[in-house]
Amino acid sequence: MKREPIVHIDEAAIAAQEKFADIVREHPDRPRTYHIVTFGCQMNSHDSETLAGTLHHMGLRQAEDRAQADLVLFNTCCIRDNAERKALGNITWLKEVKKRRPGMLIGICGCMMQQQGMAETVLKKYPFVDLAFGTGSLYRLPEYLYRLVDEKRRVIDVSREESTLAEGLRTLRDSPFKAYINIMYGCNNFCSYCIVPYVRGRERSRRADDILREAELLVEDGVKEITLLGQNVNSYGNDTGEMSFPELLRRLDATGIERLRFMTSHPKDLSEGLIEAYAGLKSLAPHLHLPIQSGSDRVLAAMNRGYTVEEYLKKARALRAARPDIGLTTDLIVAFPGETEQDFEQTLALVSEMRYDSAFTFIYSKRAGTRAAQMTGEVDKAVATERIERLIALQEGITQEVLASLKGHTMGILVEGVSTRRESQLTGKCGRNISVNFSGGDEGLVGRIVPVIITGAGSNTLRGEYAKEQHT
Ligand code: SAH
Ligand code: SF4
Ligand code: F3S
């Protein structure tokens, strides 16, 4: 496959966008409010924060109700067929709203727009859509709005700018004390079932200095928890040779951030250096999302995952030895083409052995253009449903046992707010990323990491009591 050099979007290109932003801000026909509907993973959530930041900068304000907004943006996902259907269903629903409010602008962006032939489909099938653009050109949103409001032109730009990296864009964070930082874009792994490398392009790592500066600003701004994002964060720096992922973690730890997380890690690239980081770095949260996908070596090979079950287990054991309080979570796919009952039982055995805190489980979904789409041995729908139900039931039981085993532990909780269930309680997340509802504190604790003693467990949350005098 041809590899394009990374093009850092230069200052001139960003400055050109500033000019468009200035015009839009003063334009009499500009939209006054926006609403962004986000599908998909945290990458997309973070892209939506960037879109929101850019729109705010142009003077638009967020509308709670999408039917009332002047501009509605759908940030789409195409990882599985149902993600795609959900997005298209939502867009079609808005068509009716637009009939009543003809001035409303509708835009589609995100991974779906990066698929081959999508621009033509949008042009033809969704004539009421005003704007469509891909993930590589978010930074051009001011120009798109300018063309919409000033030139009154429909804007379709899915020009696959996948080798670009834009710095210095504004973001409007969803939380004052939790933030995402994208450290790399794209994926080189080509797992045989996965569309991501086709829609998000090849791996591009950001410059370490840019990442560190962003982290320092966030710490200054009072952020307590940073989540580093990338499809495969542990190959950070492989393309640039500038810095390894564990080294980047060490530098970030030195910024004074209280809690660091990252996702997602690919098991084949999980290095000894990263395991050591878990043992040594205070800020690194005791949680790792480590997708295994299947417990059968035969299926893993067909998925092109690049590791065996035994190799995975070895790394997981080393992690638990380095950080005994670590909680592991995973992703699992059932009914991959050719998966037999025996393969599936190996997945069940793996889950029993691993005792994950929780797992995301998916039924395989065929994605056009991927290698798995050419494979034979499609698993019957009823069998797939039965398998995922067995898998979910097994994991639910394990989650219950894991949560119960945490009783009596004192954990640091990043307090997010007042519990929606009981107003006398606060709610937040522990380092293992499990929700904890606790009593004994007041709203003054929101935005801080405080010690909580765990007193009980629900089906996927913990209960606790604020441990005022203790330190974690
Ligand atoms: N980069 C991450 C995950 C990205 S997608 C990683 O490699 O772990 C999130 C999850 O969606 C994957 O881990 C996988 O379990 C699931 N997934 C991806 N493609 C899928 C498909 N075609 N059908 C079903 N599940 C899929
Ligand atoms: Fe998809 Fe595999 Fe890349 Fe994850 S590592 S995004 S599953 S190709
Ligand atoms: Fe979906 Fe794109 Fe993420 S396809 S899972 S939003 S990278």
Side-chain angles (χ1 to χ4, degrees), residues 27-36 55 59-73 94 97-98 101-107 128 130-131 145 148-149:
H27 203 285
D29 300 338
R30 71 187 187 279
R32 314 287 154 129
T33 57
Y34 71 90
H35 185 99
I36 302 173
L55 292 171
L60 282 81
R61 291 295 166 258
Q62 197 189 339
E64 286 301 322
D65 179 1
R66 71 179 83 162
Q68 299 299 326
D70 297 339
L71 167 69
V72 181
L73 278 182
L94 214 58
V97 179
K98 194 169 166 161
R101 294 185 57 220
M104 175 182 224
L105 296 172
I106 299 178
F128 55 96
D130 305 281
L131 167 66
L145 271 195
L148 278 174
V149 302

Side-chain angles (χ1 to χ4, degrees), residues 62-237:
Q62 197 189 339
E64 286 301 322
D65 179 1
R66 71 179 83 162
Q68 299 299 326
D70 297 339
L71 167 69
V72 181
L73 278 182
F74 288 96
N75 195 1
T76 60
C77 169
C78 53
I79 194 84
R80 284 170 291 275
D81 182 50
N82 54 1
E84 225 167 58
R85 270 187 283 129
K86 216 158 95 186
L88 293 176
N90 271 268
I91 295 162
T92 308
W93 173 81
L94 214 58
K95 177 184 172 184
E96 297 307 312
V97 179
K98 194 169 166 161
K99 280 188 187 150
R100 296 193 297 274
R101 294 185 57 220
M104 175 182 224
L105 296 172
I106 299 178
I108 320 180
C109 59
C111 293
M112 248 174 84
M113 291 303 104
Q114 298 287 118
Q115 282 174 291
Q116 212 110 50
M118 204 28 114
E120 292 77 27
T121 306
V122 169
L123 278 168
K124 267 203 232 118
K125 277 179 73 182
Y126 304 95
F128 55 96
V129 168
D130 305 281
L131 167 66
F133 58 99
T135 53
S137 50
L138 287 191
Y139 75 100
R140 294 172 76 168
L141 184 58
E143 178 181 344
Y144 299 149
L145 271 195
Y146 165 78
R147 302 212 183 286
L148 278 174
V149 302
D150 195 76
E151 297 179 355
K152 310 270 186 270
R153 267 174 43 190
R154 194 180 188 208
V155 182
I156 310 281
D157 181 9
V158 284
S159 56
R160 304 186 145 239
E161 285 190 54
E162 62 168 36
S163 57
T164 54
L165 249 179
E167 291 293 348
L169 302 183
R170 290 174 176 81
T171 53
L172 187 68
R173 285 200 311 275
D174 290 340
S175 161
F177 38 83
K178 285 165 86 166
Y180 295 127
I181 299 184
N182 240 318
I183 63 167
M184 60 187 301
Y185 300 87
C187 183
N188 290 353
N189 286 320
F190 289 93
C191 301
S192 60
Y193 50 81
C194 185
I195 193 90
V196 170
Y198 302 91
V199 295
R200 287 267 175 173
R202 296 292 68 68
E203 285 176 4
R204 286 99 66 200
S205 299
R206 285 178 67 200
R207 288 177 291 233
D209 276 352
D210 291 331
I211 297 168
L212 289 164
R213 194 163 347 109
E214 194 172 329
E216 281 160 10
L217 290 173
L218 291 170
V219 172
E220 264 173 44
D221 206 25
V223 166
K224 299 289 164 31
E225 175 181 301
I226 291 176
T227 303
L228 307 175
L229 296 180
Q231 290 300 348
N232 180 14
V233 288
N234 31 34
S235 46
Y236 172 78

